[in-house]
Amino acid sequence: MNSCWNWIGGKTSVGYGGFNIGKKQVLAHRFAYELLVGTIPKQHELHHKCENRACVNPNHLEPTTI
C-alpha cells in the first residue's frame, strides 16, 4: 500500500478531513473517492484500510456495507 495522503485542512471532531461547500459540510475522503474512483454504492460507507481518518488516498478507501 502506498503512502497516506493526509488532509491538511480542517478536520471534524473525530479526525476526518472536511470542508464546506456553501452551507453543506463535505467529508474530504468521500469527496476524493468520488472524484477519483466513482460513486460510493448505496448502503455503503468508506472504510480506511490504513486506519488514518485524515487520509484521502482513494487506494486506502474501501466501500463496505453498513
Side-chain angles (χ1 to χ4, degrees), residues 23-38:
K23 294 184 178 187
K24 181 178 180 183
Q25 184 180 39
V26 177
L27 293 173
H29 67 287
R30 293 179 61 85
F31 183 86
Y33 186 90
E34 290 191 333
L35 179 68
L36 299 170
V37 177

Side-chain angles (χ1 to χ4, degrees), residues 19-58:
F19 59 96
N20 292 328
I21 296 178
K23 294 184 178 187
K24 181 178 180 183
Q25 184 180 39
V26 177
L27 293 173
H29 67 287
R30 293 179 61 85
F31 183 86
Y33 186 90
E34 290 191 333
L35 179 68
L36 299 170
V37 177
T39 303
I40 301 165
K42 291 184 188 239
Q43 304 300 317
H44 285 71
E45 59 185 26
L46 291 179
H47 168 70
H48 285 85
K49 295 184 282 187
C50 59
E51 299 184 12
N52 175 4
R53 291 179 176 175
C55 179
V56 296
N57 183 339

